[in-house]
Short mmCIF file of all heavy atoms in Angstrom, two decimals:
data_model
loop_
_atom_site.label_atom_id
_atom_site.label_comp_id
_atom_site.label_asym_id
_atom_site.label_seq_id
_atom_site.Cartn_x
_atom_site.Cartn_y
_atom_site.Cartn_z
N GLY A 1 12.68 23.93 9.39
CA GLY A 1 12.13 22.70 9.84
C GLY A 1 11.41 21.95 8.83
O GLY A 1 11.43 22.25 7.68
N SER A 2 10.82 20.84 9.32
CA SER A 2 10.16 19.88 8.45
C SER A 2 8.73 19.52 8.97
O SER A 2 8.48 19.56 10.11
CB SER A 2 10.97 18.64 8.28
OG SER A 2 12.23 18.82 7.71
N LEU A 3 7.91 19.15 8.00
CA LEU A 3 6.61 18.66 8.28
C LEU A 3 6.26 17.60 7.27
O LEU A 3 6.76 17.68 6.05
CB LEU A 3 5.50 19.70 8.21
CG LEU A 3 5.41 20.71 9.43
CD1 LEU A 3 4.36 21.81 9.11
CD2 LEU A 3 5.03 19.96 10.72
N ARG A 4 5.43 16.71 7.60
CA ARG A 4 4.97 15.63 6.67
C ARG A 4 3.47 15.65 6.71
O ARG A 4 2.83 15.31 7.71
CB ARG A 4 5.52 14.31 7.13
CG ARG A 4 5.12 13.08 6.13
CD ARG A 4 5.84 11.83 6.62
NE ARG A 4 5.47 10.68 5.87
CZ ARG A 4 5.92 10.29 4.72
NH1 ARG A 4 6.93 10.98 4.18
NH2 ARG A 4 5.55 9.12 4.12
N LEU A 5 2.90 15.92 5.51
CA LEU A 5 1.42 15.85 5.35
C LEU A 5 1.03 14.54 4.75
O LEU A 5 1.72 13.97 3.98
CB LEU A 5 1.03 17.02 4.35
CG LEU A 5 1.43 18.47 4.71
CD1 LEU A 5 0.81 19.40 3.73
CD2 LEU A 5 1.03 18.81 6.13
N SER A 6 -0.19 14.09 5.15
CA SER A 6 -0.66 12.87 4.67
C SER A 6 -2.07 13.06 4.25
O SER A 6 -2.84 13.89 4.86
CB SER A 6 -0.53 11.75 5.75
OG SER A 6 0.71 11.43 6.11
N CYS A 7 -2.55 12.40 3.28
CA CYS A 7 -3.92 12.36 2.79
C CYS A 7 -4.36 10.97 2.42
O CYS A 7 -3.73 10.40 1.53
CB CYS A 7 -3.95 13.31 1.62
SG CYS A 7 -5.66 13.36 0.87
N ALA A 8 -5.36 10.50 3.08
CA ALA A 8 -5.88 9.20 2.86
C ALA A 8 -7.23 9.24 2.18
O ALA A 8 -8.12 9.93 2.59
CB ALA A 8 -5.99 8.38 4.12
N ALA A 9 -7.34 8.55 1.09
CA ALA A 9 -8.61 8.53 0.35
C ALA A 9 -9.35 7.19 0.61
O ALA A 9 -8.72 6.14 0.71
CB ALA A 9 -8.34 8.63 -1.18
N SER A 10 -10.61 7.30 0.74
CA SER A 10 -11.43 6.15 0.97
C SER A 10 -12.76 6.31 0.21
O SER A 10 -13.16 7.40 -0.11
CB SER A 10 -11.68 5.87 2.46
OG SER A 10 -12.45 6.95 2.96
N GLY A 11 -13.44 5.23 0.03
CA GLY A 11 -14.74 5.24 -0.62
C GLY A 11 -14.73 4.37 -1.83
O GLY A 11 -13.99 3.44 -2.00
N ARG A 12 -15.64 4.64 -2.69
CA ARG A 12 -15.89 3.84 -3.88
C ARG A 12 -14.95 4.35 -5.03
O ARG A 12 -15.29 5.22 -5.74
CB ARG A 12 -17.33 3.92 -4.30
CG ARG A 12 -18.23 3.29 -3.32
CD ARG A 12 -19.74 3.40 -3.76
NE ARG A 12 -20.61 2.71 -2.80
CZ ARG A 12 -21.93 2.62 -3.01
NH1 ARG A 12 -22.53 3.16 -4.01
NH2 ARG A 12 -22.70 1.99 -2.09
N ILE A 13 -13.77 3.69 -5.04
CA ILE A 13 -12.78 4.02 -6.00
C ILE A 13 -12.37 2.88 -6.82
O ILE A 13 -12.10 1.79 -6.23
CB ILE A 13 -11.51 4.63 -5.23
CG1 ILE A 13 -11.86 5.83 -4.36
CG2 ILE A 13 -10.39 4.94 -6.24
CD1 ILE A 13 -10.78 6.27 -3.43
N PHE A 14 -12.35 3.02 -8.09
CA PHE A 14 -11.84 2.00 -8.93
C PHE A 14 -10.35 2.05 -8.95
O PHE A 14 -9.66 1.03 -8.85
CB PHE A 14 -12.45 2.09 -10.33
CG PHE A 14 -11.97 0.98 -11.25
CD1 PHE A 14 -12.40 -0.32 -11.17
CD2 PHE A 14 -10.99 1.27 -12.24
CE1 PHE A 14 -11.96 -1.32 -12.03
CE2 PHE A 14 -10.53 0.30 -13.05
CZ PHE A 14 -11.00 -1.04 -12.98
N SER A 15 -9.85 3.24 -9.23
CA SER A 15 -8.38 3.50 -9.21
C SER A 15 -8.14 4.91 -9.04
O SER A 15 -8.99 5.79 -9.23
CB SER A 15 -7.78 2.91 -10.55
OG SER A 15 -8.23 3.69 -11.66
N ILE A 16 -6.91 5.20 -8.61
CA ILE A 16 -6.49 6.57 -8.47
C ILE A 16 -5.52 6.94 -9.54
O ILE A 16 -4.50 6.33 -9.75
CB ILE A 16 -5.87 6.81 -7.04
CG1 ILE A 16 -6.89 6.58 -5.97
CG2 ILE A 16 -5.28 8.18 -6.99
CD1 ILE A 16 -6.30 6.69 -4.57
N ASN A 17 -5.89 8.00 -10.31
CA ASN A 17 -5.14 8.41 -11.46
C ASN A 17 -3.97 9.32 -11.03
O ASN A 17 -2.89 9.31 -11.54
CB ASN A 17 -5.89 9.01 -12.55
CG ASN A 17 -6.99 8.08 -13.09
OD1 ASN A 17 -6.72 6.83 -13.28
ND2 ASN A 17 -8.16 8.60 -13.43
N ALA A 18 -4.31 10.18 -10.07
CA ALA A 18 -3.28 11.16 -9.61
C ALA A 18 -3.68 11.64 -8.21
O ALA A 18 -4.85 11.68 -7.85
CB ALA A 18 -3.20 12.30 -10.59
N MET A 19 -2.61 12.02 -7.45
CA MET A 19 -2.83 12.55 -6.17
C MET A 19 -1.88 13.69 -6.04
O MET A 19 -0.70 13.64 -6.46
CB MET A 19 -2.55 11.52 -5.06
CG MET A 19 -3.37 10.31 -5.13
SD MET A 19 -3.16 9.17 -3.70
CE MET A 19 -4.23 10.02 -2.48
N GLY A 20 -2.32 14.84 -5.45
CA GLY A 20 -1.49 15.94 -5.36
C GLY A 20 -1.80 16.87 -4.21
O GLY A 20 -2.78 16.68 -3.49
N TRP A 21 -1.06 17.87 -4.02
CA TRP A 21 -1.17 18.85 -3.06
C TRP A 21 -1.20 20.27 -3.69
O TRP A 21 -0.33 20.60 -4.55
CB TRP A 21 -0.03 18.79 -2.01
CG TRP A 21 -0.11 17.57 -1.21
CD1 TRP A 21 0.58 16.42 -1.50
CD2 TRP A 21 -0.79 17.36 0.01
NE1 TRP A 21 0.34 15.45 -0.53
CE2 TRP A 21 -0.52 16.08 0.41
CE3 TRP A 21 -1.63 18.13 0.80
CZ2 TRP A 21 -1.06 15.48 1.55
CZ3 TRP A 21 -2.17 17.61 1.93
CH2 TRP A 21 -1.91 16.27 2.35
N TYR A 22 -2.18 21.08 -3.28
CA TYR A 22 -2.26 22.48 -3.63
C TYR A 22 -2.21 23.26 -2.33
O TYR A 22 -2.42 22.76 -1.25
CB TYR A 22 -3.56 22.75 -4.33
CG TYR A 22 -3.66 22.21 -5.68
CD1 TYR A 22 -3.88 20.81 -5.88
CD2 TYR A 22 -3.62 22.91 -6.85
CE1 TYR A 22 -3.99 20.27 -7.14
CE2 TYR A 22 -3.77 22.38 -8.11
CZ TYR A 22 -3.93 21.00 -8.28
OH TYR A 22 -4.03 20.51 -9.50
N ARG A 23 -1.85 24.49 -2.47
CA ARG A 23 -1.84 25.41 -1.32
C ARG A 23 -2.39 26.74 -1.64
O ARG A 23 -2.26 27.18 -2.82
CB ARG A 23 -0.42 25.50 -0.70
CG ARG A 23 0.64 26.23 -1.60
CD ARG A 23 2.00 26.19 -0.94
NE ARG A 23 2.98 26.90 -1.73
CZ ARG A 23 4.26 26.91 -1.50
NH1 ARG A 23 4.76 26.22 -0.49
NH2 ARG A 23 5.14 27.63 -2.24
N GLN A 24 -2.90 27.38 -0.69
CA GLN A 24 -3.40 28.76 -0.88
C GLN A 24 -2.96 29.57 0.40
O GLN A 24 -3.35 29.37 1.46
CB GLN A 24 -4.92 28.78 -0.99
CG GLN A 24 -5.46 30.11 -1.40
CD GLN A 24 -6.96 30.04 -1.90
OE1 GLN A 24 -7.58 29.08 -1.62
NE2 GLN A 24 -7.32 31.00 -2.66
N ALA A 25 -2.21 30.64 0.05
CA ALA A 25 -1.77 31.51 1.08
C ALA A 25 -2.72 32.73 1.07
O ALA A 25 -3.38 33.03 0.05
CB ALA A 25 -0.31 32.10 0.79
N PRO A 26 -2.81 33.45 2.14
CA PRO A 26 -3.72 34.65 2.24
C PRO A 26 -3.41 35.57 1.08
O PRO A 26 -2.27 36.02 0.86
CB PRO A 26 -3.35 35.24 3.59
CG PRO A 26 -2.83 34.11 4.38
CD PRO A 26 -2.11 33.28 3.46
N GLY A 27 -4.47 35.96 0.38
CA GLY A 27 -4.40 36.99 -0.70
C GLY A 27 -3.80 36.44 -1.96
O GLY A 27 -3.52 37.12 -2.94
N LYS A 28 -3.53 35.09 -2.03
CA LYS A 28 -2.99 34.46 -3.22
C LYS A 28 -3.88 33.42 -3.79
O LYS A 28 -4.86 32.92 -3.18
CB LYS A 28 -1.59 33.87 -2.90
CG LYS A 28 -0.51 34.89 -2.48
CD LYS A 28 0.79 34.22 -2.27
CE LYS A 28 1.84 35.20 -1.88
NZ LYS A 28 3.18 34.56 -1.63
N GLN A 29 -3.61 33.11 -5.03
CA GLN A 29 -4.38 32.04 -5.75
C GLN A 29 -3.91 30.69 -5.24
O GLN A 29 -2.75 30.53 -4.85
CB GLN A 29 -4.22 32.20 -7.28
CG GLN A 29 -4.82 33.44 -7.86
CD GLN A 29 -6.33 33.43 -7.85
OE1 GLN A 29 -6.96 32.41 -8.08
NE2 GLN A 29 -6.86 34.56 -7.49
N ARG A 30 -4.80 29.76 -5.31
CA ARG A 30 -4.43 28.37 -5.05
C ARG A 30 -3.47 27.88 -6.13
O ARG A 30 -3.74 28.06 -7.39
CB ARG A 30 -5.69 27.50 -4.93
CG ARG A 30 -5.34 26.06 -4.46
CD ARG A 30 -6.61 25.28 -4.25
NE ARG A 30 -7.47 25.82 -3.22
CZ ARG A 30 -8.56 25.28 -2.77
NH1 ARG A 30 -8.94 24.12 -3.25
NH2 ARG A 30 -9.28 25.85 -1.82
N GLU A 31 -2.35 27.21 -5.69
CA GLU A 31 -1.38 26.79 -6.67
C GLU A 31 -1.04 25.31 -6.41
O GLU A 31 -1.10 24.86 -5.28
CB GLU A 31 -0.12 27.60 -6.54
CG GLU A 31 0.58 27.51 -5.20
CD GLU A 31 1.92 28.18 -5.22
OE1 GLU A 31 2.42 28.65 -6.27
OE2 GLU A 31 2.52 28.37 -4.08
N LEU A 32 -0.64 24.67 -7.50
CA LEU A 32 -0.18 23.31 -7.40
C LEU A 32 1.21 23.24 -6.71
O LEU A 32 2.08 24.03 -7.11
CB LEU A 32 -0.11 22.68 -8.81
CG LEU A 32 0.53 21.26 -8.81
CD1 LEU A 32 -0.39 20.28 -8.22
CD2 LEU A 32 0.81 20.87 -10.26
N VAL A 33 1.30 22.46 -5.78
CA VAL A 33 2.63 22.27 -5.10
C VAL A 33 3.35 21.04 -5.59
O VAL A 33 4.48 21.12 -5.95
CB VAL A 33 2.41 22.13 -3.52
CG1 VAL A 33 3.75 21.90 -2.81
CG2 VAL A 33 1.72 23.38 -2.97
N ALA A 34 2.69 19.91 -5.63
CA ALA A 34 3.24 18.67 -6.03
C ALA A 34 2.17 17.66 -6.42
O ALA A 34 1.10 17.68 -5.81
CB ALA A 34 4.19 18.07 -5.02
N ARG A 35 2.45 16.72 -7.34
CA ARG A 35 1.55 15.74 -7.64
C ARG A 35 2.28 14.50 -8.09
O ARG A 35 3.47 14.58 -8.49
CB ARG A 35 0.63 16.17 -8.74
CG ARG A 35 1.29 16.49 -10.06
CD ARG A 35 0.24 16.94 -11.17
NE ARG A 35 0.85 17.29 -12.36
CZ ARG A 35 0.30 17.84 -13.42
NH1 ARG A 35 -1.00 18.12 -13.33
NH2 ARG A 35 0.88 18.12 -14.49
N ILE A 36 1.60 13.43 -7.98
CA ILE A 36 2.17 12.13 -8.44
C ILE A 36 1.05 11.34 -9.14
O ILE A 36 -0.09 11.26 -8.63
CB ILE A 36 2.75 11.28 -7.25
CG1 ILE A 36 3.45 10.06 -7.76
CG2 ILE A 36 1.67 11.02 -6.21
CD1 ILE A 36 4.29 9.41 -6.66
N VAL A 37 1.38 10.83 -10.36
CA VAL A 37 0.43 10.16 -11.14
C VAL A 37 0.58 8.64 -10.93
O VAL A 37 1.47 8.20 -10.25
CB VAL A 37 0.53 10.51 -12.61
CG1 VAL A 37 0.33 12.01 -12.80
CG2 VAL A 37 1.86 10.10 -13.17
N SER A 38 -0.38 7.83 -11.49
CA SER A 38 -0.49 6.48 -11.29
C SER A 38 0.85 5.72 -11.67
O SER A 38 1.21 4.73 -11.11
CB SER A 38 -1.61 5.83 -11.97
OG SER A 38 -1.62 6.04 -13.38
N GLY A 39 1.49 6.31 -12.74
CA GLY A 39 2.72 5.65 -13.22
C GLY A 39 3.95 6.04 -12.34
O GLY A 39 5.03 5.46 -12.57
#
């Protein structure tokens, strides 16, 4: 199946350099899943 995650940033931000997703499964280290940079 499929899921769509969303993350909205708010506050005092001049610019966003990068946004990404990490995940942590039980008993495992947090890992980078995906990221997107300003470019």
Side-chain angles (χ1 to χ4, degrees):
S2 298
L3 285 173
R4 182 175 174 86
L5 305 183
S6 298
C7 175
S10 62
R12 296 181 176 180
I13 302 170
F14 179 78
S15 64
I16 295 178
N17 296 324
M19 304 185 80
W21 293 91
Y22 292 72
R23 68 186 181 188
Q24 188 166 21
K28 296 184 178 180
Q29 295 290 318
R30 187 174 298 186
E31 65 173 348
L32 174 68
V33 178
R35 65 183 177 186
I36 184 166
V37 300
S38 60

